Amino acid sequence: MNFRISIKYIFSILTIVFVIFILAVVSVIDRRVTSKLDGVLWTVPAKIYSRSLEIAEGGKVNINNFLKELEMLSYEESSNPQNPGQFHYKENNIRLFLKGYKKQESGLYEISFEGNKVKSLKRQDGIRIDLISLEPMPIGGMYPSHMEDRLLLDWTQVPDRLVKILLAVEDQGFFDHYGISLKSISRAFFTNIKAANIEQGGSTITQQLAKSFFFSSEQTLKRKAVEAIAALLIEFRYSKQEILLAYINDVHLGQSGKRSIHGFGLGAQHFFGSSLKNLETDQLALLVGMLKGPSLYNPRRNPMNALNRRNTVLGVLRRDGLITEEVYMDLNIKPVKTIKPSFRSETKYPAFHDLVRIELRNNFEEEELRSEGLSVYTNIDPIFQASLENNIVLTKEKLVKKYGKKLEELEGAAIVVDIQNGEIKAVVGSTNPSQFGFNRSLNAIRPIGSLVKPFVYLSALEKYQDFNLTTTLDDSHLSVPISNNSSWEPNNFDKKYHGNVPLHKALWQSYNIASARLGIGLGFDSVGKTFKSLGIKKKIPQYPSLYIGSFEMSPFEVIQAYQTIASDGFYSPLRSIRDITDIEGKSALSYPYKIEQRFRPEPIYLIKFAMQQTFIRGTARGYKQSTIDKWNVGGKTGTSDDQRDSWFVGYAGDYLVLVWFGFDDNRPTPLTGRTGALELWKNFINDINPNSSTKTILPRINYVWTDIGDGKLSGPKCKNSILTPFIIGTEPKNIPSVRRRCGSMLEDESSSVIKKLKQVFEKKKSETN
């Protein structure tokens, strides 16, 4: 009797212990289910996008660049656009079926051009509209260590066709079971018994979700049991719609380098360059078919496997009556078409990504960037970026061919900004632009050479009662004591002295001695004030070689200073980011356009005249006058001591571009600013072909004919004459006797020319308005 009681007691204890153990296991799995499933949909890395191209009626458009952008966005040429992502171009007219983006509805639009302007913009129904927006290009992200990437979808973004295809192929009884399908399990059980191995799974979508979230891919009975418990708990805790949405957002669809592609939303973008709602039935069938083996059925690596798998899925849809026999036959013979992947690692554009990351970290924690699904919309222009990357490679190849293998290790950097608002449009930090690592556009601190001279000359021209463009500067031998036993004696690049020269000529010919003497006369305080107004934050060294470029800056710092000059004296902080939205599409942070007037417009006008002469007569000469006038160009070459650095900065149309070439170990190169950096600048500008730009007209500026050699009054019929701008009241008054005859009609001719110039400028201005 006592023995029976003891056995019963022990059995009861063991039963209680077992039940407690099972409850504990279930509780642990339940906690993992809720913590993972509640949180997984929010663990989304920040996405980084290019700017969205806006086309406005009456706005300027470079048609060739527009067509290139459509190609980069994976739009297809079609004689009769009927689906999102198709277009047809003929005789200044584009019929474009937009894919849709934010508030921009998908649909067919017609754009008519007249020259480089949008003449009209119409919807499919013929109604005229003001503006359309192309979708931005994904260019990178801020990924966690596991490099999982996904585009989070809500239920409204999931096409009904995808749900039907998914359930037909993966889990036909999804809405009837409670996480486990005994029918599927029994079928898989007998198949595996017959094969004496685990060959087939009987997992439901819920079980697949549990496996994806919590467990390894090993095929063991223990793992299957735990997976089944988790599936039951998921079904108990969440609705069918929530489970299906979690599955749609989490499935693994392949790798892009280190980046792991998860979810149908990102899969649609990665393989087809479009949103999920725009995909055709055959494209959805391909994505669903890939679930069986993302690598085996990857359409880029194994196109035949992918085609056969897609057709198998289409066969299932035909069998279940989801498509007709006729539709099946049409889709079955369609080729599998995918786009090239946008990027394979953290970013498509490493140098630009560094700029974005710096701006982001000023406002967000690292964890926010890697988990909260922010969308970062930048200012990068993908056409400009592609051109800059291509041309820095081609330019280096030409330089190596010209100068030999000694330039094989030549490095470079280049930056493109919008003059008016400081938006960064393109950046490269190496002659191998896709290379990660040292970003020379940000971190190469180099002597800027003659790029410093416009800053010195601007300091002088601000003192317009004392200096104008024809003020003579002394370019004779200069010796400046710097210690008891030594002196500093600068040389010109051509090793010659040029005597007295007009201020503007000294600048566009880049005479070192005249520039040094001018800077010494102005003083460090005066020049330092100009540096500060240009946005240069570095401490200014007080030694005379500063005035000819013995001053180190990064390419980013240099182009910020020149932006103020190019924009007529208005300073705008350079910025890579335009706007940031949260996971729900609401604005999280904006980067508004900031502007501050730092200089009066008249001195800037004068310095820009001299910088334009660089293209007409100086170190950047070579362009036709018509091209110079069209783009309203200006710029400056720079070469440091022993030709260790080759610089060029210049503006054309709406854009300012800076280029640097040199060696990382600072050894000499055979390049000057003209033979090196300028070559890349020209190749890039010629490639993008900026829209025309109108010249600023200031009421306080008056043009007078002067002599290029001595800077004194001249006339239009005199040799070596140049029509020179002056702030009213500072013009030279007397003409030398040797030029009185050729300058006898000076007043009439000058006023006539000025009137004609004003008429031309006013005409151009009216054409652009």
Side-chain angles (χ1 to χ4, degrees), residues 474-619:
D474 184 2
D475 193 58
S476 61
H477 177 263
L478 174 65
S479 180
V480 181
I482 56 176
S483 66
N484 293 332
N485 300 318
S486 63
S487 60
W488 176 68
E489 298 182 354
N491 286 315
N492 288 320
F493 185 79
D494 61 4
K495 309 300 181 183
K496 298 178 182 179
Y497 302 116
H498 305 94
N500 291 328
V501 292
L503 182 147
H504 67 84
K505 183 177 180 180
L507 179 56
W508 50 259
Q509 289 286 30
S510 204
Y511 292 152
N512 287 334
I513 301 173
S515 301
R517 192 173 266 114
L518 174 63
I520 292 169
L522 292 168
F524 291 112
D525 290 344
S526 177
V527 175
K529 181 182 177 183
T530 300
F531 274 47
K532 185 176 180 181
S533 296
L534 289 169
I536 299 171
K537 299 177 181 178
K538 288 187 171 184
K539 184 178 179 181
I540 308 302
Q542 297 199 6
Y543 43 80
S545 58
L546 162 73
Y547 304 124
I548 60 172
S550 292
F551 180 61
E552 295 183 339
M553 296 174 71
S554 70
F556 185 86
E557 292 170 327
V558 174
I559 199 169
Q560 174 68 84
Y562 270 90
Q563 180 274 330
T564 307
I565 294 175
S567 64
D568 298 329
F570 289 88
Y571 170 85
S572 291
L574 302 187
R575 56 201 176 103
S576 61
I577 301 174
R578 185 174 294 183
D579 187 37
I580 300 175
T581 59
D582 62 20
I583 200 165
E584 296 178 350
K586 298 176 182 177
S587 180
L589 186 66
S590 61
Y591 291 73
Y593 166 43
K594 297 179 181 178
I595 186 170
E596 178 186 350
Q597 186 173 5
R598 296 283 181 90
F599 297 92
R600 290 286 303 167
E602 292 83 7
I604 293 290
Y605 188 96
L606 300 183
I607 202 72
K608 290 179 75 173
F609 169 84
M611 290 173 67
Q612 186 164 95
Q613 297 305 310
T614 303
F615 280 91
I616 298 172
R617 297 175 171 85
T619 53

Side-chain angles (χ1 to χ4, degrees), residues 70-76 83-86 99 135 138 151 161-162 253 259 261 263-290 297-300 306-307 310 334-342:
L70 291 178
E71 181 181 354
M72 293 183 75
L73 291 171
S74 304
Y75 279 74
E76 289 185 334
N83 299 308
Q86 295 181 336
K99 298 175 183 179
E135 65 278 12
L151 272 179
R161 284 181 301 149
L162 173 63
L253 289 170
R259 192 167 57 118
I261 307 301
F264 284 99
L266 185 60
Q269 185 186 86
H270 179 68
F271 289 106
F272 302 111
S274 189
S275 62
L276 195 60
K277 65 181 180 181
N278 287 335
L279 298 194
E280 299 295 313
T281 299
D282 60 302
Q283 294 172 319
L284 293 172
L286 176 62
L287 291 180
V288 172
M290 289 176 64
Y297 299 112
N298 186 305
R300 295 193 184 110
L307 177 66
R310 182 204 67 181
K334 285 183 66 174
V336 171
K337 292 183 179 180
T338 59
I339 66 166
K340 293 180 180 180
S342 297

Side-chain angles (χ1 to χ4, degrees), residues 725-736:
F726 292 85
I727 298 175
I728 291 177
T730 66
E731 308 94 325
K733 304 299 181 184
N734 300 313
I735 187 168

Side-chain angles (χ1 to χ4, degrees), residues 400 402-410 663 667-670:
V400 170
K402 181 176 180 180
Y403 294 98
K405 293 183 179 180
K406 57 188 173 183
L407 287 186
E408 285 185 347
E409 294 181 353
L410 184 71
F663 289 114
R667 65 182 185 268
T669 78

Side-chain angles (χ1 to χ4, degrees), residues 222-251:
K222 177 184 176 183
R223 197 271 296 163
K224 280 287 186 182
V226 177
E227 177 188 298
I229 295 172
L232 290 171
L233 290 170
I234 289 173
E235 291 277 349
F236 177 75
R237 291 259 184 200
Y238 302 96
S239 69
K240 288 289 187 181
Q241 189 180 86
E242 289 173 321
I243 295 168
L244 193 55
L245 184 61
Y247 181 79
I248 286 169
N249 276 314
D250 192 67
V251 290

Side-chain angles (χ1 to χ4, degrees), residues 560-768:
Q560 174 68 84
Y562 270 90
Q563 180 274 330
T564 307
I565 294 175
S567 64
D568 298 329
F570 289 88
Y571 170 85
S572 291
L574 302 187
R575 56 201 176 103
S576 61
I577 301 174
R578 185 174 294 183
D579 187 37
I580 300 175
T581 59
D582 62 20
I583 200 165
E584 296 178 350
K586 298 176 182 177
S587 180
L589 186 66
S590 61
Y591 291 73
Y593 166 43
K594 297 179 181 178
I595 186 170
E596 178 186 350
Q597 186 173 5
R598 296 283 181 90
F599 297 92
R600 290 286 303 167
E602 292 83 7
I604 293 290
Y605 188 96
L606 300 183
I607 202 72
K608 290 179 75 173
F609 169 84
M611 290 173 67
Q612 186 164 95
Q613 297 305 310
T614 303
F615 280 91
I616 298 172
R617 297 175 171 85
T619 53
R621 61 192 177 277
Y623 275 110
K624 294 180 180 179
Q625 187 64 49
S626 59
T627 303
I628 292 172
D629 293 338
K630 172 189 172 184
W631 289 336
N632 194 24
V633 298
K636 186 72 188 75
T637 54
T639 310
S640 65
D641 286 347
D642 300 321
Q643 298 175 219
R644 298 175 191 273
D645 301 275
S646 169
W647 294 90
F648 187 79
V649 60
Y651 45 86
D654 294 330
Y655 303 104
L656 176 68
V657 184
L658 177 135
V659 179
W660 167 84
F661 278 128
F663 289 114
D664 285 342
D665 61 6
N666 202 33
R667 65 182 185 268
T669 78
L671 305 175
T672 64
R674 174 178 173 81
T675 60
L678 176 61
E679 289 301 303
L680 172 53
W681 189 94
K682 290 192 297 185
N683 292 338
F684 171 75
I685 289 295
N686 292 342
D687 191 20
I688 67 167
N689 187 22
N691 290 319
S692 58
S693 174
T694 55
K695 195 169 186 176
T696 304
I697 299 175
L698 298 178
R700 292 187 63 210
I701 292 294
N702 184 35
Y703 276 82
V704 173
W705 289 101
T706 65
D707 184 77
I708 292 176
D710 61 25
K712 297 178 181 179
L713 274 177
S714 185
K717 294 182 179 180
C718 301
K719 293 182 179 179
N720 299 320
S721 291
I722 180 173
L723 195 58
T724 311
F726 292 85
I727 298 175
I728 291 177
T730 66
E731 308 94 325
K733 304 299 181 184
N734 300 313
I735 187 168
S737 58
V738 295
R739 290 197 291 272
R740 281 180 181 169
R741 185 172 181 179
C742 64
S744 60
M745 297 184 67
L746 175 62
E747 185 176 346
D748 292 339
E749 292 282 359
S750 295
S751 60
S752 174
V753 170
I754 293 167
K755 287 178 181 178
K756 288 180 179 178
L757 282 172
K758 287 186 176 181
Q759 289 173 1
V760 170
F761 295 150
E762 289 293 345
K763 183 179 179 182
K764 287 185 177 180
K765 188 174 182 181
S766 63
E767 287 175 353
T768 57

